[in-house]
Amino acid sequence: NSLQDLNNILFEQIERINDDSLTETELQSAIKKADGINRLATTIVNNANLQLRAYQEMGRKAEKGIQKTLGIEE
């Protein structure tokens, strides 16, 4: 998985919440699910940021594992 995958999931959630055909119950359920995904996404992004900063502090280029996570593979 990569941050690009996460980005796609987040936009899918926006589309789901923006669906005018949802009933109020379905909308509330979609919002609740999106909130959970958002909390997890925040943790994932913070973790990726920490990894990248650690590589930078060590004066190293991002290795293959972090490149894949960040979606910056060459």
Side-chain angles (χ1 to χ4, degrees):
N1 295 329
S2 70
L3 293 180
Q4 183 59 49
D5 295 332
L6 177 60
N7 193 52
N8 292 338
I9 290 168
L10 294 173
F11 276 106
E12 288 170 7
Q13 291 302 309
I14 291 170
E15 289 174 11
R16 216 170 268 127
I17 290 172
N18 200 34
D19 184 349
D20 291 336
S21 69
L22 293 178
T23 66
E24 186 62 30
T25 302
E26 292 170 330
L27 177 60
Q28 291 305 316
S29 178
I31 289 171
K32 185 176 179 180
K33 181 177 179 180
D35 183 51
I37 289 172
N38 181 54
R39 282 185 268 128
L40 291 171
T42 299
T43 300
I44 292 167
V45 169
N46 288 343
N47 184 55
N49 186 41
L50 176 62
Q51 290 178 39
L52 182 59
R53 285 193 338 245
Y55 278 105
Q56 291 171 337
E57 287 296 320
M58 294 182 332
R60 294 169 49 194
K61 292 180 73 176
E63 293 176 354
K64 198 71 170 165
I66 190 68
Q67 287 178 357
K68 182 176 181 182
T69 299
L70 295 174
I72 57 171
E73 293 180 286
E74 294 179 14

